[in-house]
Amino acid sequence: MSARVQLLDQALIDRTLERAKSSPRLRTNHNFHAGPEQNPHRFLNALTRGTYCAPHRHLNPPKSESFLALRGEVAFFLFDDSGEVREAHVLGREGLLGIEVEAGEWHTVATLTDTSVCYEVKPGPWDPSNDKDFAPWAPREGDPRVPAYLASLLAKVR
């Protein structure tokens, strides 16, 4: 195998999930891209039950995203500007494998199974100062309201 090839196999998914389980955020990425400046970004997003990704959008600069469920079931939520759930989809259930989200759409993901893994693609470069526009109507990570908010989202797809 050459240095220019990375295999995406069950062993890689298992190793990434093990890292997610021991992460304080209960999730982790495995990047296939070489660094934040590269375009596009391609990565595994490994999620464990209870992790919370605050609703956000990629507006400035505008970035679309693609998600493919590789393991488990992933709830994907799209919101209107006031925070109402506009659409909810379960990737990995009933033949739905992925979703493509246009730039500027409010969204979040949550795992419905003990663990799940998505393959994600979005444009680079990554700059933490402007990567995400967090929703003003949803709690941020670490907020004591997160468990109740997450449970209310997940109740919409169970």
Side-chain angles (χ1 to χ4, degrees):
M1 179 172 52
S2 80
R4 292 187 222 163
V5 173
Q6 295 184 66
L7 298 178
L8 195 165
D9 58 13
Q10 295 302 324
L12 175 60
I13 288 174
D14 291 342
R15 286 192 309 273
T16 307
L17 280 170
E18 286 307 311
R19 287 188 9 249
K21 289 175 187 175
S22 63
S23 165
R25 299 174 80 197
L26 301 175
R27 68 180 184 271
T28 196
N29 289 353
H30 173 86
N31 295 340
F32 293 100
H33 54 282
E37 69 291 337
Q38 194 171 15
N39 189 25
H41 284 202
R42 295 130 10 250
F43 55 95
L44 297 179
N45 190 350
L47 310 166
T48 61
R49 192 180 299 276
T51 191
Y52 174 69
C53 305
H56 62 278
R57 62 185 175 181
H58 306 281
L59 187 61
N60 188 18
K63 294 182 179 185
S64 61
E65 287 184 280
S66 298
F67 297 79
L68 294 173
L70 301 179
R71 185 180 289 179
E73 293 183 350
V74 179
F76 195 97
F77 300 96
L78 294 161
F79 304 89
D80 65 20
D81 287 337
S82 67
E84 293 299 315
V85 174
R86 190 168 40 91
E87 294 179 40
H89 304 280
V90 178
L91 310 182
R93 183 187 288 173
E94 298 176 5
L96 181 59
L97 302 176
I99 191 166
E100 172 77 18
V101 181
E102 289 299 315
E105 291 288 331
W106 295 110
H107 64 280
T108 193
V109 298
T111 186
L112 293 169
T113 48
D114 287 339
T115 60
S116 59
V117 177
C118 282
Y119 181 82
E120 293 186 35
V121 178
K122 73 177 183 178
W126 178 73
D127 177 350
S129 71
N130 67 5
D131 179 60
K132 292 179 182 172
D133 178 18
F134 288 102
W137 34 259
R140 295 286 295 272
E141 243 181 288
D143 186 304
R145 297 172 295 163
V146 163
Y149 181 73
L150 182 58
S152 73
L153 289 177
L154 293 175
K156 297 178 186 312
V157 294
R158 294 215 187 250

mmCIF file of all heavy atoms in Angstrom, residues 27-55:
data_model
loop_
_atom_site.group_PDB
_atom_site.id
_atom_site.type_symbol
_atom_site.label_atom_id
_atom_site.label_comp_id
_atom_site.label_asym_id
_atom_site.label_seq_id
_atom_site.Cartn_x
_atom_site.Cartn_y
_atom_site.Cartn_z
ATOM 1 N N ARG A 27 -17.162 11.918 21.215
ATOM 2 C CA ARG A 27 -17.062 11.825 19.768
ATOM 3 C C ARG A 27 -15.649 12.198 19.346
ATOM 4 O O ARG A 27 -14.923 12.839 20.102
ATOM 5 C CB ARG A 27 -18.089 12.697 19.059
ATOM 6 C CG ARG A 27 -17.888 14.187 19.202
ATOM 7 C CD ARG A 27 -18.993 14.944 18.443
ATOM 8 N NE ARG A 27 -18.803 16.369 18.460
ATOM 9 C CZ ARG A 27 -19.256 17.182 19.381
ATOM 10 N NH1 ARG A 27 -19.931 16.705 20.410
ATOM 11 N NH2 ARG A 27 -19.049 18.489 19.293
ATOM 12 N N THR A 28 -15.306 11.799 18.135
ATOM 13 C CA THR A 28 -14.012 12.179 17.585
ATOM 14 C C THR A 28 -14.046 12.040 16.077
ATOM 15 O O THR A 28 -14.923 11.356 15.533
ATOM 16 C CB THR A 28 -12.854 11.348 18.188
ATOM 17 O OG1 THR A 28 -11.617 11.990 17.909
ATOM 18 C CG2 THR A 28 -12.832 9.931 17.640
ATOM 19 N N ASN A 29 -13.098 12.682 15.432
ATOM 20 C CA ASN A 29 -12.937 12.569 13.982
ATOM 21 C C ASN A 29 -11.675 11.784 13.659
ATOM 22 O O ASN A 29 -10.709 11.807 14.429
ATOM 23 C CB ASN A 29 -12.784 13.947 13.331
ATOM 24 C CG ASN A 29 -14.050 14.746 13.319
ATOM 25 O OD1 ASN A 29 -15.115 14.277 13.672
ATOM 26 N ND2 ASN A 29 -13.932 15.988 12.913
ATOM 27 N N HIS A 30 -11.694 11.135 12.520
ATOM 28 C CA HIS A 30 -10.478 10.614 11.894
ATOM 29 C C HIS A 30 -10.393 11.301 10.547
ATOM 30 O O HIS A 30 -11.237 11.075 9.677
ATOM 31 C CB HIS A 30 -10.518 9.096 11.715
ATOM 32 C CG HIS A 30 -9.346 8.611 10.914
ATOM 33 N ND1 HIS A 30 -8.142 8.312 11.495
ATOM 34 C CD2 HIS A 30 -9.188 8.429 9.576
ATOM 35 C CE1 HIS A 30 -7.292 7.948 10.549
ATOM 36 N NE2 HIS A 30 -7.902 8.011 9.384
ATOM 37 N N ASN A 31 -9.411 12.173 10.384
ATOM 38 C CA ASN A 31 -9.284 12.948 9.152
ATOM 39 C C ASN A 31 -8.521 12.177 8.088
ATOM 40 O O ASN A 31 -7.488 11.576 8.377
ATOM 41 C CB ASN A 31 -8.566 14.268 9.424
ATOM 42 C CG ASN A 31 -9.357 15.183 10.319
ATOM 43 O OD1 ASN A 31 -10.569 15.046 10.462
ATOM 44 N ND2 ASN A 31 -8.685 16.123 10.937
ATOM 45 N N PHE A 32 -9.027 12.237 6.879
ATOM 46 C CA PHE A 32 -8.317 11.706 5.720
ATOM 47 C C PHE A 32 -7.539 12.816 5.025
ATOM 48 O O PHE A 32 -6.578 12.544 4.324
ATOM 49 C CB PHE A 32 -9.284 11.038 4.741
ATOM 50 C CG PHE A 32 -9.911 9.805 5.304
ATOM 51 C CD1 PHE A 32 -11.193 9.841 5.824
ATOM 52 C CD2 PHE A 32 -9.218 8.609 5.339
ATOM 53 C CE1 PHE A 32 -11.770 8.704 6.358
ATOM 54 C CE2 PHE A 32 -9.788 7.464 5.879
ATOM 55 C CZ PHE A 32 -11.067 7.516 6.388
ATOM 56 N N HIS A 33 -7.947 14.065 5.203
ATOM 57 C CA HIS A 33 -7.234 15.195 4.625
ATOM 58 C C HIS A 33 -5.994 15.490 5.482
ATOM 59 O O HIS A 33 -5.952 15.167 6.667
ATOM 60 C CB HIS A 33 -8.147 16.414 4.490
ATOM 61 C CG HIS A 33 -8.825 16.814 5.756
ATOM 62 N ND1 HIS A 33 -9.936 16.161 6.257
ATOM 63 C CD2 HIS A 33 -8.549 17.794 6.646
ATOM 64 C CE1 HIS A 33 -10.314 16.727 7.386
ATOM 65 N NE2 HIS A 33 -9.482 17.718 7.640
ATOM 66 N N ALA A 34 -4.990 16.075 4.857
ATOM 67 C CA ALA A 34 -3.688 16.252 5.499
ATOM 68 C C ALA A 34 -3.654 17.370 6.534
ATOM 69 O O ALA A 34 -2.851 17.329 7.457
ATOM 70 C CB ALA A 34 -2.617 16.503 4.436
ATOM 71 N N GLY A 35 -4.497 18.371 6.395
ATOM 72 C CA GLY A 35 -4.466 19.482 7.335
ATOM 73 C C GLY A 35 -5.601 20.439 7.112
ATOM 74 O O GLY A 35 -6.378 20.300 6.156
ATOM 75 N N PRO A 36 -5.745 21.452 7.981
ATOM 76 C CA PRO A 36 -6.887 22.365 7.912
ATOM 77 C C PRO A 36 -6.975 23.168 6.631
ATOM 78 O O PRO A 36 -8.057 23.584 6.230
ATOM 79 C CB PRO A 36 -6.699 23.280 9.120
ATOM 80 C CG PRO A 36 -5.318 23.087 9.587
ATOM 81 C CD PRO A 36 -4.838 21.766 9.081
ATOM 82 N N GLU A 37 -5.845 23.367 5.950
ATOM 83 C CA GLU A 37 -5.848 24.168 4.721
ATOM 84 C C GLU A 37 -6.290 23.370 3.500
ATOM 85 O O GLU A 37 -6.617 23.950 2.468
ATOM 86 C CB GLU A 37 -4.454 24.760 4.480
ATOM 87 C CG GLU A 37 -3.388 23.750 4.114
ATOM 88 C CD GLU A 37 -2.972 22.796 5.247
ATOM 89 O OE1 GLU A 37 -3.152 23.116 6.439
ATOM 90 O OE2 GLU A 37 -2.468 21.712 4.922
ATOM 91 N N GLN A 38 -6.315 22.052 3.596
ATOM 92 C CA GLN A 38 -6.629 21.226 2.436
ATOM 93 C C GLN A 38 -8.110 21.332 2.063
ATOM 94 O O GLN A 38 -8.969 21.611 2.898
ATOM 95 C CB GLN A 38 -6.258 19.767 2.695
ATOM 96 C CG GLN A 38 -6.243 18.944 1.435
ATOM 97 C CD GLN A 38 -5.655 17.558 1.665
ATOM 98 O OE1 GLN A 38 -5.512 17.101 2.775
ATOM 99 N NE2 GLN A 38 -5.334 16.898 0.568
ATOM 100 N N ASN A 39 -8.383 21.096 0.788
ATOM 101 C CA ASN A 39 -9.743 21.152 0.274
ATOM 102 C C ASN A 39 -9.936 19.988 -0.682
ATOM 103 O O ASN A 39 -9.114 19.816 -1.568
ATOM 104 C CB ASN A 39 -9.956 22.488 -0.441
ATOM 105 C CG ASN A 39 -11.398 22.712 -0.816
ATOM 106 O OD1 ASN A 39 -12.296 22.159 -0.206
ATOM 107 N ND2 ASN A 39 -11.607 23.522 -1.824
ATOM 108 N N PRO A 40 -10.978 19.182 -0.500
ATOM 109 C CA PRO A 40 -12.004 19.208 0.540
ATOM 110 C C PRO A 40 -11.550 18.469 1.796
ATOM 111 O O PRO A 40 -10.567 17.743 1.778
ATOM 112 C CB PRO A 40 -13.165 18.465 -0.112
ATOM 113 C CG PRO A 40 -12.511 17.442 -0.973
ATOM 114 C CD PRO A 40 -11.265 18.126 -1.495
ATOM 115 N N HIS A 41 -12.328 18.660 2.869
ATOM 116 C CA HIS A 41 -12.111 17.898 4.092
ATOM 117 C C HIS A 41 -12.923 16.615 4.002
ATOM 118 O O HIS A 41 -14.096 16.638 3.623
ATOM 119 C CB HIS A 41 -12.555 18.707 5.305
ATOM 120 C CG HIS A 41 -11.579 19.765 5.664
ATOM 121 N ND1 HIS A 41 -11.522 20.314 6.901
ATOM 122 C CD2 HIS A 41 -10.608 20.373 4.945
ATOM 123 C CE1 HIS A 41 -10.557 21.220 6.949
ATOM 124 N NE2 HIS A 41 -10.000 21.272 5.753
ATOM 125 N N ARG A 42 -12.269 15.493 4.338
ATOM 126 C CA ARG A 42 -12.914 14.179 4.339
ATOM 127 C C ARG A 42 -12.558 13.527 5.649
ATOM 128 O O ARG A 42 -11.379 13.456 6.016
ATOM 129 C CB ARG A 42 -12.414 13.317 3.177
ATOM 130 C CG ARG A 42 -12.796 13.886 1.835
ATOM 131 C CD ARG A 42 -11.688 14.015 0.813
ATOM 132 N NE ARG A 42 -10.396 13.412 1.030
ATOM 133 C CZ ARG A 42 -9.271 14.111 1.271
ATOM 134 N NH1 ARG A 42 -9.296 15.426 1.379
ATOM 135 N NH2 ARG A 42 -8.113 13.509 1.398
ATOM 136 N N PHE A 43 -13.567 13.044 6.373
ATOM 137 C CA PHE A 43 -13.273 12.473 7.684
ATOM 138 C C PHE A 43 -14.383 11.547 8.157
ATOM 139 O O PHE A 43 -15.514 11.602 7.676
ATOM 140 C CB PHE A 43 -13.027 13.583 8.722
ATOM 141 C CG PHE A 43 -14.131 14.602 8.842
ATOM 142 C CD1 PHE A 43 -15.120 14.493 9.802
ATOM 143 C CD2 PHE A 43 -14.160 15.700 7.986
ATOM 144 C CE1 PHE A 43 -16.110 15.447 9.921
ATOM 145 C CE2 PHE A 43 -15.148 16.663 8.094
ATOM 146 C CZ PHE A 43 -16.124 16.533 9.064
ATOM 147 N N LEU A 44 -14.002 10.684 9.104
ATOM 148 C CA LEU A 44 -14.966 9.891 9.845
ATOM 149 C C LEU A 44 -15.368 10.708 11.061
ATOM 150 O O LEU A 44 -14.517 11.306 11.719
ATOM 151 C CB LEU A 44 -14.362 8.572 10.327
ATOM 152 C CG LEU A 44 -13.893 7.591 9.276
ATOM 153 C CD1 LEU A 44 -13.300 6.356 9.954
ATOM 154 C CD2 LEU A 44 -15.024 7.201 8.338
ATOM 155 N N ASN A 45 -16.648 10.733 11.358
ATOM 156 C CA ASN A 45 -17.157 11.358 12.570
ATOM 157 C C ASN A 45 -17.764 10.239 13.399
ATOM 158 O O ASN A 45 -18.822 9.709 13.043
ATOM 159 C CB ASN A 45 -18.188 12.434 12.226
ATOM 160 C CG ASN A 45 -18.570 13.273 13.424
ATOM 161 O OD1 ASN A 45 -18.223 12.976 14.549
ATOM 162 N ND2 ASN A 45 -19.306 14.338 13.159
ATOM 163 N N ALA A 46 -17.059 9.842 14.456
ATOM 164 C CA ALA A 46 -17.505 8.752 15.331
ATOM 165 C C ALA A 46 -18.233 9.345 16.526
ATOM 166 O O ALA A 46 -17.693 10.197 17.237
ATOM 167 C CB ALA A 46 -16.305 7.930 15.779
ATOM 168 N N LEU A 47 -19.461 8.886 16.746
ATOM 169 C CA LEU A 47 -20.333 9.413 17.790
ATOM 170 C C LEU A 47 -20.702 8.308 18.770
ATOM 171 O O LEU A 47 -20.971 7.172 18.356
ATOM 172 C CB LEU A 47 -21.625 9.956 17.171
ATOM 173 C CG LEU A 47 -21.497 10.913 15.996
ATOM 174 C CD1 LEU A 47 -22.835 11.085 15.298
ATOM 175 C CD2 LEU A 47 -20.958 12.246 16.464
ATOM 176 N N THR A 48 -20.760 8.640 20.052
ATOM 177 C CA THR A 48 -21.275 7.701 21.042
ATOM 178 C C THR A 48 -22.504 8.318 21.696
ATOM 179 O O THR A 48 -22.669 9.545 21.716
ATOM 180 C CB THR A 48 -20.212 7.337 22.096
ATOM 181 O OG1 THR A 48 -19.826 8.507 22.789
ATOM 182 C CG2 THR A 48 -18.993 6.702 21.455
ATOM 183 N N ARG A 49 -23.351 7.441 22.222
ATOM 184 C CA ARG A 49 -24.617 7.903 22.799
ATOM 185 C C ARG A 49 -24.370 9.001 23.833
ATOM 186 O O ARG A 49 -23.487 8.874 24.678
ATOM 187 C CB ARG A 49 -25.366 6.737 23.440
ATOM 188 C CG ARG A 49 -26.799 7.083 23.796
ATOM 189 C CD ARG A 49 -27.530 5.924 24.442
ATOM 190 N NE ARG A 49 -27.635 4.749 23.598
ATOM 191 C CZ ARG A 49 -28.567 4.542 22.665
ATOM 192 N NH1 ARG A 49 -29.450 5.487 22.423
ATOM 193 N NH2 ARG A 49 -28.603 3.425 21.988
ATOM 194 N N GLY A 50 -25.132 10.080 23.718
ATOM 195 C CA GLY A 50 -25.035 11.187 24.661
ATOM 196 C C GLY A 50 -24.212 12.359 24.175
ATOM 197 O O GLY A 50 -24.254 13.423 24.780
ATOM 198 N N THR A 51 -23.464 12.180 23.072
ATOM 199 C CA THR A 51 -22.716 13.322 22.566
ATOM 200 C C THR A 51 -23.686 14.358 22.013
ATOM 201 O O THR A 51 -24.784 14.016 21.538
ATOM 202 C CB THR A 51 -21.691 12.904 21.490
ATOM 203 O OG1 THR A 51 -20.832 14.025 21.237
ATOM 204 C CG2 THR A 51 -22.337 12.483 20.191
ATOM 205 N N TYR A 52 -23.285 15.609 22.092
ATOM 206 C CA TYR A 52 -24.134 16.699 21.632
ATOM 207 C C TYR A 52 -23.344 17.604 20.706
ATOM 208 O O TYR A 52 -22.286 18.122 21.077
ATOM 209 C CB TYR A 52 -24.644 17.513 22.831
ATOM 210 C CG TYR A 52 -25.423 18.751 22.457
ATOM 211 C CD1 TYR A 52 -26.679 18.647 21.862
ATOM 212 C CD2 TYR A 52 -24.907 20.012 22.706
ATOM 213 C CE1 TYR A 52 -27.398 19.788 21.531
ATOM 214 C CE2 TYR A 52 -25.620 21.162 22.390
ATOM 215 C CZ TYR A 52 -26.868 21.039 21.795
ATOM 216 O OH TYR A 52 -27.584 22.176 21.465
ATOM 217 N N CYS A 53 -23.865 17.772 19.513
ATOM 218 C CA CYS A 53 -23.310 18.701 18.529
ATOM 219 C C CYS A 53 -24.301 19.857 18.441
ATOM 220 O O CYS A 53 -25.426 19.674 17.958
ATOM 221 C CB CYS A 53 -23.171 18.030 17.161
ATOM 222 S SG CYS A 53 -22.213 16.501 17.176
ATOM 223 N N ALA A 54 -23.921 21.006 18.924
ATOM 224 C CA ALA A 54 -24.836 22.153 18.926
ATOM 225 C C ALA A 54 -25.277 22.478 17.498
ATOM 226 O O ALA A 54 -24.462 22.472 16.576
ATOM 227 C CB ALA A 54 -24.157 23.364 19.548
ATOM 228 N N PRO A 55 -26.572 22.737 17.294
ATOM 229 C CA PRO A 55 -27.037 23.128 15.956
ATOM 230 C C PRO A 55 -26.231 24.313 15.430
ATOM 231 O O PRO A 55 -25.921 25.254 16.176
ATOM 232 C CB PRO A 55 -28.505 23.495 16.183
ATOM 233 C CG PRO A 55 -28.910 22.662 17.361
ATOM 234 C CD PRO A 55 -27.679 22.659 18.243
#
